[in-house]
Amino acid sequence: MNLFDSLENNNKQVPLAELMRPKNLEDYLGQTNVINPSSPFYKLLSAKRLFSFILWGPPGCGKTTLARLVASYHSAAFVELSAVNSGVKEIKETADFAKQKLREGVKTIVFIDEIHRFSKTQQDALLPHVESGLFYFMGSTTENPSFHTVPALISRAQVIVLNAIDKNSLKKIALKGLDYLSKNYEEKTIEDEALDEIVELSRGDARYCLNAIENTFFASDKEIKKKTVEELLQKTGTRYSIDSHYDYASAFQKSLRGSDPNAAIYYLAKMLVAGEDPRFIARRLIVVASEDVGNADFRALLIAEAALRAVEHLGMPEARITLAQAVEFVARAKKSNRAIMAVDRAIADIKAGDDYLPPKHLRDAHYKDASKYGFGVDYVYTHDNPNYIQQFMPDEIKDRKYFDI
């Protein structure tokens, strides 16, 4: 360590969120789906079985902390890399380090934060070392690994889903942080309303929660008040990642299909607040109006199309009103999927080999030699004889039905 490193460490202000990281699994809060005696993850830990995994969850849910706890649980060497400033070079250096540790009888865990930021080449560089058992790979990501991680790496690592921290756990975390600050600086308390406000603003993010406690602690006298929280902390922006785009669109359409206008309007609002293109939302409305409402209420398609035109002419924020109007109508409309089911069955039949020509009497007869081939012969003009029953399906499947009458 040189002089500058020493000065840096002396002047460093370690954030409360870092100081409060759990030192053991018993203090790890908010992930009872993973850390409980009956979970497969916990059983593997108890059996002292190391394995590679990817932690997928929102910011501040404890991904890095959990990886560090696993490493300490196994007394393994822990190398932490960030996909933001690491690459193939650092992976090779880590492999050399892991080889040396193996000679000493120590296993190595390589933790890569934000693994979704690694390119395919960088992710591929991990594969031979994970495959050979040189080191165990643990990654964290806020994005769906199925979309942002190479399949070969996913096949060698378990994907473990972590949730946003629940409100009760956030309260415990916040109070622990306050207790730490009170013991190391001066004793202070917090209003119940102020604590509730911090928990609400944190939105499941333990790091944000502890940062909020730290900042309001030093901005308060003897008690942290709700007014201080409101003045000091800005409301966090809504979370809406690449994957959220598809997740919310899916939930939106399914709520419309399920005739739940309240859920549909909530997901509409979420997408609008997140900055989603309102034209995209209107196009999803058109899809549902045709696919799920269909001819049970043909007005739904007309209203959805009108909403798209209105959105294009109005723009935001006025377009939210038109979209809300259309959302309510489509959600409350009677539902029928007969049209999409019929056309998909017909498409499936054609792809499976039922690919036939129309009967001769239906084929084009608007040219001189058509009648020589029998095209158009014996066709009956329906308006002249509306009661005449003639065959329209190809001969080979003349009795096939796609609509159940």
Side-chain angles (χ1 to χ4, degrees):
M1 179 182 293
N2 60 36
L3 173 62
F4 295 104
D5 290 333
S6 178
L7 289 172
E8 179 184 321
N9 289 332
N10 289 336
N11 293 318
K12 185 184 294 184
Q13 181 178 300
V14 181
L16 179 63
E18 184 64 30
L19 294 170
M20 297 303 298
R21 282 190 189 275
K23 303 299 187 295
N24 53 67
L25 288 173
E26 289 71 26
D27 293 333
Y28 186 75
L29 299 173
Q31 300 298 341
T32 53
N33 61 313
V34 175
I35 303 302
N36 72 80
S38 62
S39 75
F41 182 84
Y42 196 88
K43 288 177 180 178
L44 279 170
L45 284 180
S46 300
K48 298 292 183 181
R49 296 292 300 177
L50 264 176
F51 62 102
S52 295
F53 58 79
I54 298 172
L55 298 168
W56 172 29
C61 70
K63 298 185 291 294
T64 302
T65 299
L66 182 56
R68 290 179 181 177
L69 288 175
V70 171
S72 64
Y73 199 82
H74 290 280
S75 300
F78 188 76
V79 178
E80 186 172 345
L81 302 176
S82 172
V84 175
N85 51 28
S86 301
V88 175
K89 175 177 175 289
E90 285 73 20
I91 293 172
K92 289 179 178 178
E93 291 173 351
T94 301
D96 292 337
F97 171 81
K99 288 176 184 177
Q100 179 58 41
K101 284 297 178 182
L102 273 181
R103 296 188 190 102
E104 300 169 7
V106 178
K107 297 175 182 177
T108 299
I109 292 173
V110 178
F111 175 71
I112 300 179
D113 192 24
E114 299 186 275
I115 185 64
H116 60 275
R117 293 181 181 271
F118 257 5
S119 68
K120 181 180 183 298
T121 301
Q122 291 168 325
Q123 291 185 36
D124 286 343
L126 293 166
L127 296 177
H129 309 307
V130 176
E131 184 73 27
S132 67
L134 177 60
F135 57 67
Y136 292 88
F137 157 71
M138 296 178 187
S140 72
T141 178
T142 56
E143 307 295 339
N144 190 333
S146 296
F147 301 147
H148 302 280
T149 310
V150 295
L153 192 55
I154 289 183
S155 71
R156 292 164 173 81
Q158 298 293 317
V159 175
I160 298 170
V161 180
L162 300 185
N163 302 316
I165 307 296
D166 62 273
K167 291 182 180 180
N168 286 335
S169 295
L170 278 178
K171 279 190 177 182
K172 292 178 183 178
I173 291 168
L175 292 173
K176 281 188 175 184
L178 178 60
D179 183 62
Y180 175 90
L181 293 172
S182 293
K183 288 178 179 177
N184 285 274
Y185 294 94
E186 61 176 305
E187 188 171 343
K188 294 183 183 181
T189 58
I190 185 169
E191 285 183 341
D192 290 341
E193 295 82 359
L195 180 60
D196 290 340
E197 184 74 5
I198 287 174
V199 168
E200 286 295 329
L201 288 173
S202 298
R203 296 185 183 180
D205 186 332
R207 185 185 301 107
Y208 182 96
C209 181
L210 287 168
N211 287 341
I213 285 291
E214 183 176 20
N215 291 335
T216 54
F217 179 90
F218 289 106
S220 303
D221 294 324
K222 292 296 182 182
E223 184 179 45
I224 300 173
K225 298 183 180 295
K226 183 180 179 182
K227 182 181 179 182
T228 304
V229 173
E230 292 175 337
E231 290 178 353
L232 191 61
L233 304 180
Q234 295 182 350
K235 290 189 180 292
T236 56
T238 186
R239 289 175 183 152
Y240 201 78
S241 65
I242 296 171
D243 299 330
S244 298
H245 166 82
Y246 298 104
D247 289 339
Y248 281 102
S250 175
F252 177 61
Q253 287 188 233
K254 288 169 183 171
S255 300
L256 291 167
R257 179 183 300 137
S259 300
D260 189 333
N262 296 302
I265 207 76
Y266 174 80
Y267 294 125
L268 167 68
K270 171 71 176 187
M271 290 189 286
L272 291 176
V273 170
E276 185 65 79
D277 186 346
R279 293 171 298 180
F280 167 79
I281 300 172
R283 289 194 293 269
R284 294 300 91 199
L285 268 170
I286 290 174
V287 170
V288 175
S290 190
E291 176 182 347
D292 299 299
V293 178
N295 289 323
D297 192 337
F298 66 88
R299 297 173 298 173
L301 180 57
L302 300 178
I303 287 174
E305 286 183 327
L308 176 59
R309 290 195 299 272
V311 164
E312 290 173 338
H313 289 300
L314 284 174
M316 289 294 290
E318 289 81 2
R320 79 191 190 285
I321 308 168
T322 303
L323 287 171
Q325 178 187 357
V327 162
E328 183 187 14
F329 190 94
V330 172
R332 294 188 187 277
K334 291 182 178 180
K335 304 298 190 295
S336 170
N337 68 345
R338 284 160 53 92
I340 185 175
M341 296 299 290
V343 70
D344 282 354
R345 280 197 292 264
I347 289 171
D349 284 353
I350 292 167
K351 289 182 176 180
D354 289 345
D355 189 359
Y356 306 116
L357 292 169
K360 287 186 177 181
H361 64 279
L362 296 184
R363 298 187 202 177
D364 181 25
H366 291 86
Y367 56 98
K368 181 179 178 181
D369 294 328
S371 60
K372 291 181 182 180
Y373 310 120
F375 296 169
V377 176
D378 296 329
Y379 168 67
V380 176
Y381 185 56
T382 301
H383 296 288
D384 289 343
N385 193 347
N387 295 322
Y388 180 79
I389 298 175
Q390 60 185 320
Q391 178 187 325
F392 293 99
M393 289 288 278
D395 294 333
E396 294 84 352
I397 54 171
K398 63 181 180 180
D399 296 322
R400 185 77 51 86
K401 296 288 189 295
Y402 291 106
F403 287 99
D404 298 325
I405 299 174

